[in-house]
Amino acid sequence: MYGLPSLIPHEIEEKGQSMRTSTSPDSTAASTPPEANRVRIFDTTLRDGEQSPGASMNMAEKLELARALAALGVDVIEAGFPIASQGDFEAVRAIAAEVAGSSVCGLARCNDRDIDRAWEAIQFAQHPRIHVFLATSAIHREHKLRMTKAQIIERAVASVRRAKSCCPDVEFSPEDAARTELEFLCEVVQAAIEAGATTVNIPDTVGYATPIQYASVIAALKQRVPNIERAIISTHCHDDLGLAVANSLAGCEAGARQVECTINGIGERAGNASLEEVVMALKTRFDYYGLTTKIRTERLYPTSRMLSAITGLAVQRNKAIVGRNAFAHEAGIHQDGLLKERSTYEIMRPEDVGVPRTDLVLGKHSGRHALRERVTEMGYTLSDEQLETLFHDFKALADKKKEVYDEDLVVLIEKHLDDVPPLWQLVSLHTTAGMSVLPTATVAIRRPDGEIVQDAAIGDGPVDAIFKAVERVTGVRANLHQFVVRSVTQGKDAQGEVTLELEVESDDRSYRGRAASTDIIEASAQAYLNAVNAIATHRERGHVREVVGRPGAGA
Ligand code: KIV
Ligand code: ZN
């Protein structure tokens, strides 16, 4: 009915394959043409993902995540939008220069300045890619761009040609493709391929599509665009209706061979298609899709945890694949079934996605060697000097709590990825609180010039009193926008991690502060001071982010 060339379930049954057992891609790979049936994984966590509120990362964090993405085996890392700011440009350039194995891609609008800047940032990558985009839907043409169809085609062609003159690997995205008239979409895609695009991406920018409809768009492109075989068709689905993964998979069924996605599904608004869900759906249901990826799936869980630790964005407990409960069986009947035969209630093994059997790692007698091995397994690349600092912090923590878990190590590592210099340093802290007493806090803080200043304040509670005292000493005024305390691991002696966001009205932006300690009052003070340091550093560096349109955000 929809002209889909793919198999539907009853056809699989007719071909004699069981719907209940999955044939592993590895066991059948020999009988399938590997390239034609391989789906490229294009990770846009550092670009579309980083665009989402609360997900901004500094340069060191982006580099660490890019290394982890390369180790995960993604085909393409979209490292950022170089024209957006000096910070974005530098991060993309650093990733391009260092990360090997995956292609490194820079995003650009369809204009010469954007394209040249993107190329400048990625030119030294082992495999550079320029990704140009231009909106094509009637809504965007009329209200945002005020351009005719002919002008759109002309601009797209000129931009793909310019990008092609820099680099052979060029991707073109007709933004809001899923709401674009099919005939016009075919025309634009054909023209882009003719101009040199090697990948054509079909974004569902606003998450409006439904699986069968989205698949029918991909199928139509395959049928109607005469030069389509010269390019790879890609999906890029947003999750506004919770359909991003389903739409991406439907796109693959219809012939797409690249999926754009993000770790933990982070991204603009409700997010992008979740990388781990797409990859594990293809792997677990190889019997149905017959498609492979190059992802080392046992690295999915550590990469997910790393992103969550870097951004402070928690993964929901029941999130498929990487949520804490994804492999937890509570019901007695299920547990009984599992003990008798695992496949009764488990379609994937936790170890396939890298969920540690136990994440209890080290104690106070563990040495440097064990520590290095563990953090490498967790996906981090630390220099000798960084390992030494971590070892020192680890010993201090192991003195306070008996068992040090992976999560504890992540918090200790992340502390050193902050690129904000500690201009103001907490020297000492004293609070009083309780029933029928006025909460007070006294802080001693070392100023940037080295002098130690002491002050005290009262507040609604001890944390509020600390924040007021810090404000009195530093003179930095900001509104507390978000304040989250979470226990890093289980147990009464667990570290408490505080993540908070301060908003400065005059800057029209917010600043994040994060800290962990076995004492949450101390963690709150340190997190607040870290955010104050971010504000002070921002002012010192005079950073101004160029305001450019963000794709999918009314650009
Ligand atoms: O959602 C979108 O349309 C995008 C494009 C830049 C691919 O992010
Ligand atoms: Zn997007």
Side-chain angles (χ1 to χ4, degrees), residues 47-48 107 131 133 173 175-176 201 203 205 236 238 260 551-552:
R47 200 278 298 167
D48 217 331
L107 182 68
H131 177 188
F133 73 98
S173 286
E175 190 189 5
D176 205 18
N201 183 37
T205 303
H236 179 109
H238 280 271
E260 302 200 353

Side-chain angles (χ1 to χ4, degrees), residues 224-246:
R224 297 195 205 168
V225 176
N227 55 4
I228 197 73
E229 294 307 326
R230 281 161 43 195
I232 287 178
I233 303 178
S234 168
T235 68
H236 179 109
C237 299
H238 280 271
D239 208 29
D240 300 66
L241 294 174
L243 293 172
V245 170

Side-chain angles (χ1 to χ4, degrees), residues 290-366:
L291 298 172
T292 58
T293 71
K294 280 200 325 198
I295 295 298
R296 294 177 198 104
T297 59
E298 66 288 354
R299 298 235 45 85
L300 286 171
Y301 185 79
T303 314
S304 156
R305 294 247 80 81
M306 180 188 283
L307 176 69
S308 163
I310 287 176
T311 57
L313 294 175
V315 175
Q316 92 200 43
R317 275 187 99 94
N318 61 329
K319 162 102 173 56
I321 319 296
V322 291
R324 258 181 209 291
N325 290 359
F327 294 93
H329 299 271
E330 195 67 32
I333 297 176
H334 289 206
Q335 288 174 353
D336 179 57
L338 271 174
L339 290 173
K340 288 176 176 145
E341 166 53 45
R342 214 170 159 158
S343 61
T344 49
Y345 287 102
E346 216 167 65
I347 59 165
M348 295 166 279
R349 294 174 312 163
E351 52 269 38
D352 292 341
V353 301
V355 173
R357 248 162 293 135
T358 160
D359 65 358
L360 168 63
V361 278
L362 308 163
K364 70 190 215 183
H365 301 296
S366 310

Side-chain angles (χ1 to χ4, degrees), residues 51 114 179 187 203 231 263 381 404 475:
Q51 250 170 256
D114 275 38
R179 291 194 298 171
E187 258 182 77
I263 301 293
T381 321
V404 178

